């Protein structure tokens, strides 16, 4: 095994970014500002994307992955389109390069598992970019419910149709974040899935109401769509002792507690940090690379969340026997 696998580099790390879309350009911008990092460059076949990334991060750009790898890199972040994650990740892992791959880890669970197996065999760090875990409001919610008996979780993640989306619907694009959060908040696996999906205006599902039960008995639901004219991101968690509300955009987290028989209770705002989630995520990845630690979001966790999202899309439709035929959603599951 190479020294990268067994004894992680302690000195400055050479890092590259694959994919210079909106997300990849932001990866490059953040990496360019981190100490102890040399941003070797970004890779993208599109000249316009390369120009944007180089202006944002003041770094080199390459048309192909091979050109980047020829420069020598210790680690890469993969923000290319999802269908390329498998191919790019395996190419990097084969060269003993540490990998952060954006969510979802791959297009299919099988591809995700292959990435995980390859990274384990090569002894390289593999982390999945579920950036919402690094949102300070999410961290404050997680801290507030630590040690509590969680009863239910509700997450809303809605907004307008994104012009960049092409080959996935809201479940893979948006809900996969919240599936990961439910698993993280409850520290349990999701064992029951009840999805309601609709394709109202888009080709793929653009409305999803997803219900879950975890192995430890927590009920959870996700409300997500591309039909809301503004962005909204909220989390509420009910436990036996408290009720926690978090707005992931304004980063306000409120806790209700001290419930009395007469219906009164106490309320307080919880302290929330100011870190940029992507910056916190990249720092965590690079720390795991340097120290040879288990990363904050493992490949197995990324695969588990993708597996639940895939189940939501594959659960067969069971229309009610009495419902009259009507023009409506292309696909309703539940």
């Amino acid at each position: 095994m190479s020294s990268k696998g067994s004894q992680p580099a302690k000195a400055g790390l050479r890092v590259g970014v694959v994919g210079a879309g909106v997300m990849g350009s932001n990866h490059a911008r953040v990496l360019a500002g981190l100490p102890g990092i040399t941003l070797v460059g970004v890779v993208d076949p599109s000249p316009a994307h390369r120009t944007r990334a180089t202006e944002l991060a003041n770094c080199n750009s390459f048309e192909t992955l091979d050109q980047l790898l020829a420069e020598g890199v210790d680690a890469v972040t993969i923000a290319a389109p999802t269908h390329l994650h498998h191919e790019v990740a395996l190419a990097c892992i084969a060269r003993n390069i540490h990998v952060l791959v954006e969510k979802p880890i791959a297009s299919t669970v099988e591809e995700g598992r292959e990435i995980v197996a390859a990274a384990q065999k090569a002894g390289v760090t593999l982390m999945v970019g579920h950036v919402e875990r690094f949102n300070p409001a999410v961290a404050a919610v997680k801290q507030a419910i630590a040690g509590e008996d969680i009863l239910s979780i509700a997450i809303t993640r809605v907004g307008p149709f994104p012009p960049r989306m092409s080959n996935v619907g809201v479940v893979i694009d948006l809900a996969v974040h919240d599936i990961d959060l439910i698993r993280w908040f409850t520290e349990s696996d999701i064992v029951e899935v009840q999805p309601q999906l609709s394709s109202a205006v888009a080709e793929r599902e653009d409305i999803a109401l997803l219900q879950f039960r975890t192995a430890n008995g927590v009920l959870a639901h996700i409300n997500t769509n591309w039909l809301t004219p503004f962005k909204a991101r909220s989390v509420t968690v009910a436990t036996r002792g408290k009720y926690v509300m978090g707005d992931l955009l304004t980063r306000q987290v409120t806790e209700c507690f001290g419930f009395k028989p007469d219906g009164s209770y106490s309320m307080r705002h919880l302290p929330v940090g100011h870190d940029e989630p992507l910056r916190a995520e990249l720092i965590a990845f690079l720390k795991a690379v340097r120290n040879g630690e288990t990363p904050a979001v493992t490949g197995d966790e990324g695969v588990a969340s993708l597996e639940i999202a895939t189940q939501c899309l594959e659960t067969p439709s069971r229309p009610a026997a009495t419902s009259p035929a009507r023009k409506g959603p292309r696909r309703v599951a539940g």
Side-chain angles (χ1 to χ4, degrees):
M1 188 184 289
S2 85
S3 61
K4 275 179 208 156
S6 50
Q7 291 183 313
K10 294 283 189 290
L13 290 172
R14 294 176 61 79
V15 184
V17 177
V18 183
V22 174
M23 200 68 201
S25 297
N26 278 319
H27 276 250
R29 169 184 59 80
V30 172
L31 287 165
L34 291 181
I37 298 298
T38 300
L39 176 57
V40 179
V42 296
V43 177
D44 200 291
S46 157
H49 281 188
R50 291 201 300 274
T51 299
R52 173 175 59 191
T54 52
E55 285 174 358
L56 202 59
N58 191 24
C59 65
N60 291 330
S61 67
F62 307 95
E63 196 172 343
T64 68
L65 178 63
D66 285 341
Q67 289 171 339
L68 170 72
L69 299 183
E71 295 292 317
V73 289
D74 300 305
V76 297
T77 70
I78 300 173
T82 303
H83 67 275
L84 298 174
H85 286 184
H86 179 253
E87 176 191 339
V88 174
L90 291 184
C92 294
I93 290 166
R95 292 169 171 82
N96 275 355
I97 294 165
H98 304 284
V99 171
L100 168 74
V101 59
E102 267 301 335
K103 66 86 201 163
I105 185 171
S107 295
T108 67
V109 171
E110 188 181 8
E111 284 187 352
R113 286 186 178 139
E114 286 178 11
I115 294 171
V116 171
Q120 283 174 339
K121 191 175 176 192
V124 299
T125 300
L126 169 65
M127 179 162 148
V128 184
H130 281 282
V131 71
E132 200 67 281
R133 285 223 207 157
F134 296 88
N135 183 323
V138 167
V141 171
K142 171 79 168 168
Q143 196 173 351
I145 61 177
E148 292 283 316
D149 184 4
I150 301 170
L151 303 175
S152 72
I153 298 173
I155 304 181
T156 298
R157 185 179 296 268
V158 296
F161 189 83
R164 69 191 166 80
M165 292 317 299
S166 55
N167 58 348
V168 297
V170 288
V171 171
I172 297 294
D173 184 47
L174 297 181
V176 78
H177 278 295
D178 304 313
I179 290 166
D180 177 68
L181 292 186
I182 289 164
R183 296 182 72 257
W184 191 50
F185 284 152
T186 61
E187 297 178 2
S188 181
D189 287 322
I190 290 168
V191 293
E192 277 182 50
V193 173
Q194 293 177 313
Q196 297 282 358
L197 308 176
S198 169
S199 304
V201 295
E203 186 186 339
R204 306 222 174 204
E205 85 285 350
D206 50 18
I207 307 172
L209 301 174
L210 311 175
Q211 294 194 111
F212 307 100
R213 183 188 296 271
T214 66
N216 57 3
V218 177
L219 297 184
H221 82 248
I222 296 171
N223 166 25
T224 189
N225 69 54
W226 280 330
L227 307 178
T228 310
F230 54 86
K231 265 189 176 185
R233 308 273 188 272
S234 66
V235 174
T236 59
V237 183
T239 76
R240 288 213 186 272
K242 56 176 75 167
Y243 186 77
V244 181
M245 300 170 283
D247 184 318
L248 306 189
L249 295 180
T250 64
R251 300 191 182 170
Q252 282 191 307
V253 179
T254 309
E255 177 180 84
C256 305
F257 62 99
F259 305 117
K260 303 282 196 312
D262 66 359
S264 66
Y265 59 88
S266 302
M267 201 167 179
R268 66 181 169 200
H269 290 297
L270 299 179
V272 177
H274 296 288
D275 293 355
E276 179 186 359
L278 181 60
R279 186 171 190 272
E281 176 182 77
L282 289 168
I283 288 170
F285 168 59
L286 296 166
K287 180 171 177 278
V289 168
R290 283 197 176 101
N291 300 338
E293 301 167 350
T294 301
V297 186
T298 65
D300 284 330
E301 289 177 295
V303 169
S305 294
L306 176 60
E307 192 162 18
I308 296 298
T310 303
Q311 274 183 36
C312 289
L313 296 175
E314 290 175 351
T315 300
S317 168
R318 291 202 309 271
T322 54
S323 61
R326 67 178 183 90
K327 184 178 185 302
R330 186 183 60 171
R331 174 177 178 186
V332 179

